[in-house]
């Protein structure tokens, strides 16, 4: 058990809809990361937060947004969903944002857009 | 920019045989290197990491990886695999510095056959 909790585990929704994925980081970790895993794109870094502030941005679409709250949990909002957004979305956390800090991953949220 | 190439997408091997999963990276700055493992329906787990010092790093379950700066490689090896090692293995690189993105390779599916 990594200590990172993601909810829900599965999400099925229709095109055009909006969903929110939730992540609670491991106790003591201040940095949160979001990744998208799909068969054709592999693991893609979306965004990183550290202690409530955005720290780095990857291949995150404008339809997607995220935030980290004062209690350090994070939410990833996906809107105007398209079939291609179907993927496994992982949250990870680390003690700090430095490059030598290993990431601890949650079990992911599987999003299916129909 | 940094990138990771995992040369083999699938590696089948018989139980108790040795295995090597290949990983090459590119980066313009000093790097940290990681191997993560993903079992079915789970998130990624850190297997081992190279930060500095000895170029040979080991995991608790018998895997080892060697950092080769001249060849920009970080291959993963195990002298004798078990059925339970069947999983997908991801090589990842992050740069030194205060803000990091962990960039993953496309993954290698290791299947251990009885």
């Amino acid at each position: 058990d990594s200590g990172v909790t993601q909810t829900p585990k599965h999400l099925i929704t229709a095109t055009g809809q909006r969903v929110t994925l939730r992540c609670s980081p491991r106790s003591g970790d201040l940095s949160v990361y979001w990744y998208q895993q799909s068969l054709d794109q592999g693991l893609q870094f979306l965004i990183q937060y550290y202690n409530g502030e955005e720290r780095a941005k990857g291949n995150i679409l404008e339809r997607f947004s995220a935030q980290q709250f004062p209690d350090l949990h994070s939410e990833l909002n996906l809107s105007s969903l398209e079939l291609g957004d179907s993927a496994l979305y992982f949250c990870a956390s680390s003690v700090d944002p430095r490059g030598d800090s290993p990431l601890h991953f949650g079990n992911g949220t599987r999003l299916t857009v129909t | 920019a940094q990138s990771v190439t995992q040369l083999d997408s699938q590696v089948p091997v018989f139980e108790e045989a040795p295995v090597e999963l290949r990983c090459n990276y590119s980066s313009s700055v000093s790097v940290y290197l990681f191997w993560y493992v993903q079992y079915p329906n789970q998130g990624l787990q850190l297997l081992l990491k190279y930060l500095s010092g000895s170029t040979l790093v080991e995991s608790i379950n018998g895997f080892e990886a060697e950092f080769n700066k001249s060849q920009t490689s970080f291959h993963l090896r195990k002298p004798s695999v078990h059925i339970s090692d069947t999983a997908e293995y991801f090589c990842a690189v992050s740069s030194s510095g205060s803000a990091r993105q962990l960039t993953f390779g496309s993954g290698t599916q290791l299947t251990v056959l009885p």
Side-chain angles (χ1 to χ4, degrees):
Chain A
D1 182 9
S2 68
V4 178
T5 303
Q6 288 188 248
T7 57
K9 290 184 179 178
H10 303 276
L11 203 48
I12 302 175
T13 189
T15 54
Q17 295 299 305
R18 172 190 170 94
V19 296
T20 297
L21 313 184
R22 196 178 191 279
C23 169
S24 294
R26 198 177 64 137
S27 177
D29 285 357
L30 300 179
S31 202
V32 169
Y33 310 76
W34 286 98
Y35 281 83
Q36 180 193 59
Q37 185 180 37
S38 60
L39 284 175
D40 54 344
Q41 297 287 329
L43 263 167
Q44 296 286 316
F45 168 71
L46 296 179
I47 198 163
Q48 175 196 1
Y49 283 85
Y50 176 68
N51 208 17
E53 294 188 4
E54 182 182 305
R55 200 63 185 255
K57 226 170 188 177
N59 301 322
I60 188 166
L61 300 172
E62 286 191 10
R63 301 183 285 108
F64 296 0
S65 65
Q67 55 183 328
Q68 185 180 28
F69 294 87
D71 67 352
L72 302 178
H73 91 272
S74 178
E75 292 181 356
L76 178 67
N77 300 296
L78 315 176
S79 62
S80 303
L81 286 168
E82 302 175 359
L83 295 177
D85 298 327
S86 295
L88 198 50
Y89 291 84
F90 284 109
C91 170
S93 70
S94 67
V95 170
D96 56 47
R98 294 194 327 241
D100 58 349
S101 295
L103 302 189
H104 303 273
F105 282 79
N107 286 340
T109 293
R110 182 170 296 280
L111 173 66
T112 303
V113 182
T114 62
Chain B
Q2 58 197 27
S3 66
V4 179
T5 301
Q6 290 184 246
L7 298 163
D8 306 298
S9 60
Q10 305 216 17
V11 173
V13 63
F14 287 106
E15 193 174 16
E16 297 184 3
V19 71
E20 177 180 80
L21 307 184
R22 296 179 292 169
C23 170
N24 287 90
Y25 70 92
S26 68
S27 176
S28 57
V29 297
S30 297
V31 296
Y32 303 118
L33 294 159
F34 305 83
W35 276 98
Y36 282 82
V37 59
Q38 185 179 26
Y39 299 101
N41 300 314
Q42 293 186 27
L44 281 74
Q45 302 171 32
L46 179 66
L47 189 60
L48 46 76
K49 61 185 179 184
Y50 170 78
L51 304 180
S52 64
S54 172
T55 57
L56 185 65
V57 290
E58 298 177 353
S59 72
I60 58 173
N61 57 354
F63 283 94
E64 63 179 29
E66 186 161 20
F67 170 56
N68 188 318
K69 189 174 182 179
S70 62
Q71 297 188 3
T72 61
S73 67
F74 191 55
H75 301 331
L76 182 70
R77 301 183 183 96
K78 189 170 185 181
S80 175
V81 293
H82 304 289
I83 297 288
S84 59
D85 293 325
T86 295
E88 186 142 26
Y89 292 79
F90 292 91
C91 182
V93 61
S94 70
S95 57
S96 59
S98 60
R100 62 86 170 264
Q101 289 186 26
L102 190 62
T103 301
F104 285 88
S106 55
T108 297
Q109 173 64 43
L110 172 64
T111 302
V112 182
L113 307 167

